[in-house]
Amino acid sequence: MIDAIWRDRLDAVALASGLATSDHPRLATWVRDLSDQYNRAAFPVRWTPERIAARLHFFLPRDAMKVATALRDVPLPAGDGPVEVHDVGAGIGASALGVVLGLRARGLSRPMRLQLSDTHAAPLDLAGRVLRGLPGVELDTKLSRPEIVVYSNVLAEVDHGRPEPARIEAHARMLRAQAAGLVLVVEPALRDCARRLQAVRDRLVAAGVPVLAPCTHDAPCPMLRRDTDWCHDDLPVDLPPWLHPVARAAGLRWQGLTYARLVLGEAPAPRPAFRVVAPPRDSRGRKERLLCGSLDGDVLTWVDRLDKHASQQNGAWDDLARGDGLDLSPAERRVGRETVVTRTG
Ligand SMILES: C[S@@+](CC[C@H](N)C(=O)[O-])C[C@H]1O[C@@H](n2cnc3c(N)ncnc32)[C@H](O)[C@@H]1O
């Protein structure tokens, strides 16, 4: 999705901006430092050239992949003119790049017009350098009615320090005020960020806003019942090999892609019947998945399949990852030999 040519592109952006290139011996230290800031929610981050270089050479490609995969199963914008996208809190452009990559990966060939905004304007110059020159992509300062609005790794910073209930209300109001075909929110897969997003989702559902993903129903979020749960994706998508050395040296993972997401639409759209919301549990002779979706009067159920019942129809059960959507026919607590399991994204 984001091949090695991007290392050269980002190095060219770094050189043009007076920043260190990706072969700098201290890059991994800077990546580690910035990761610690994010994990401690030490906002606002004080931006130094070293941290900006870390963002450019590591977080940008990684976070672009998160945004791109978060679009894997949502309805594509219809029409034939340019797709208009507003990236709120665009930073140095990772999220806008992710939308471009995600829509292209879905086969959308329409041109794209991007608006980037941020309360902190300095990084937007860098974003322009990252995005300018992408085929079929134009940067625009103001769009009248974007089809897609994206907030990626932004809510973690918005209203930081306010009491949690007020913050949840404010985020719900802010997202609800967006008039767009699709509003995509991506947040770190951290407990507090994900649970806040789930609470925002409950407010929006109560206000009648159509939620397209990750939810499979409009009942209160069952992943809020226990403090120890948080809804997030953990996709078996590794970072590209050229990012492995810096990830390894910084003590960060390159295997798998984790994030919490929320996708809002203007109108309801078909959703999968179930989504996997916990790590798969495989034991001797049995594979269990915790599914969010209506089954036997609840919306959170462990469903299993005995290995002796594995068949061609239910083969998709083996490889389901946390975050995958699926349909089950018939929908029962135990997947049988005849049950058809269809992964939907
Ligand atoms: C961690 S960066 C994320 C950048 C980019 N979206 C990404 O995914 O990599 C968060 C950005 O949100 C911006 N931000 C914080 N509060 C904001 C607000 N209320 N409105 C717009 N941008 C905001 C910050 O200035 C920062 O550039």
Side-chain angles (χ1 to χ4, degrees), residues 313-332:
Q313 290 97 305
N314 66 36
W317 191 253
D318 293 310
D319 300 323
L320 287 170
R322 184 174 198 160
D324 280 346
L326 67 144
D327 291 328
L328 283 180
S329 177
E332 292 171 337

Side-chain angles (χ1 to χ4, degrees), residues 6 67-68 71 76-87 93-116 131-143 145-150 182 184:
W6 272 97
V67 171
L71 286 167
L76 289 178
D80 49 13
V83 186
E84 299 197 325
V85 180
H86 182 187
D87 183 357
S95 26
L97 175 61
V99 173
V100 173
L101 296 174
L103 294 182
R104 293 285 182 249
R106 295 278 309 274
L108 193 126
S109 57
R110 288 165 59 192
M112 297 183 203
R113 196 175 281 159
L114 310 178
Q115 176 186 349
L116 310 182
L131 297 162
R132 220 164 271 125
L134 288 181
V137 173
E138 190 185 315
L139 295 185
D140 215 307
T141 45
K142 184 87 186 94
L143 298 171
R145 196 185 178 287
E147 284 159 277
I148 302 179
V149 173
V150 57
L182 215 61
L184 169 67

Side-chain angles (χ1 to χ4, degrees), residues 52-65:
I52 297 173
R55 209 165 157 188
L56 185 68
H57 298 300
F58 182 75
F59 294 96
L60 181 139
R62 187 198 67 177
D63 294 344
M65 286 178 66

Side-chain angles (χ1 to χ4, degrees), residues 7 27 30 35 83 108-109 148 163 167 185 193 204 208-210 213 216 230 236 254 262 270 282 293 301 325 330:
R7 180 172 42 192
L27 180 65
W30 303 336
S35 171
V83 186
L108 193 126
S109 57
I148 302 179
R167 205 171 167 194
V185 184
C193 293
L204 292 168
V209 177
T216 57
W230 64 100
W254 62 90
L262 180 65
D282 293 351
T301 317

Side-chain angles (χ1 to χ4, degrees), residues 38 55 63 87-91 94-95 118-120 152-154 157-158:
Y38 288 143
R55 209 165 157 188
D63 294 344
D87 183 357
V88 183
S95 26
D118 202 298
T119 44
H120 180 50
S152 157
N153 296 315
V154 175
E157 295 189 22
V158 174

Side-chain angles (χ1 to χ4, degrees), residues 52-338:
I52 297 173
R55 209 165 157 188
L56 185 68
H57 298 300
F58 182 75
F59 294 96
L60 181 139
R62 187 198 67 177
D63 294 344
M65 286 178 66
K66 293 185 182 186
V67 171
T69 57
L71 286 167
R72 66 191 182 276
D73 54 359
V74 302
L76 289 178
D80 49 13
V83 186
E84 299 197 325
V85 180
H86 182 187
D87 183 357
V88 183
I92 64 169
S95 26
L97 175 61
V99 173
V100 173
L101 296 174
L103 294 182
R104 293 285 182 249
R106 295 278 309 274
L108 193 126
S109 57
R110 288 165 59 192
M112 297 183 203
R113 196 175 281 159
L114 310 178
Q115 176 186 349
L116 310 182
S117 62
D118 202 298
T119 44
H120 180 50
L124 295 180
D125 283 343
L126 205 53
R129 291 196 183 125
V130 169
L131 297 162
R132 220 164 271 125
L134 288 181
V137 173
E138 190 185 315
L139 295 185
D140 215 307
T141 45
K142 184 87 186 94
L143 298 171
S144 50
R145 196 185 178 287
E147 284 159 277
I148 302 179
V149 173
V150 57
Y151 290 82
S152 157
N153 296 315
V154 175
L155 297 193
E157 295 189 22
V158 174
D159 297 315
H160 177 64
R162 278 183 83 181
E164 205 55 18
R167 205 171 167 194
I168 289 163
E169 282 307 328
H171 289 187
R173 247 194 332 272
M174 185 177 79
L175 297 177
R176 208 179 155 194
Q178 287 295 345
L182 215 61
V183 177
L184 169 67
V185 184
V186 176
E187 282 284 284
L190 299 171
R191 180 182 167 282
D192 289 356
C193 293
R195 289 180 65 81
R196 186 178 310 120
L197 194 57
Q198 293 164 226
V200 168
R201 172 265 184 205
D202 274 1
R203 302 285 187 296
L204 292 168
V205 168
V209 177
V211 173
L212 308 188
C215 310
T216 57
H217 56 81
D218 288 337
C221 176
M223 294 289 279
L224 284 172
R225 290 175 192 166
R226 294 190 322 169
D227 281 354
T228 47
D229 286 337
W230 64 100
C231 180
H232 63 277
D233 289 6
D234 189 351
L235 304 181
V237 178
D238 291 350
L239 295 183
W242 55 279
L243 287 174
H244 295 186
V246 66
R248 191 182 295 115
L252 301 179
R253 52 188 279 184
W254 62 90
Q255 316 92 321
L257 216 46
T258 60
Y259 53 84
R261 67 172 175 151
L262 180 65
V263 185
L264 312 173
E266 272 177 322
R271 300 186 281 194
F274 300 101
R275 190 170 302 281
V276 180
V277 290
R281 243 172 23 192
D282 293 351
S283 54
R284 246 175 81 136
R286 195 157 91 111
K287 292 187 170 56
E288 292 173 281
R289 311 285 180 255
L290 182 62
L291 300 186
C292 187
S294 297
L295 186 62
D296 285 352
D298 198 2
V299 284
L300 193 64
T301 317
W302 280 101
V303 175
D304 72 357
R305 192 210 60 199
L306 303 180
D307 288 351
K308 66 182 180 188
H309 292 154
S311 67
Q312 204 178 352
Q313 290 97 305
N314 66 36
W317 191 253
D318 293 310
D319 300 323
L320 287 170
R322 184 174 198 160
D324 280 346
L326 67 144
D327 291 328
L328 283 180
S329 177
E332 292 171 337
R333 283 170 182 268
R334 173 152 287 175
V335 170
R337 199 170 278 122
E338 306 300 325

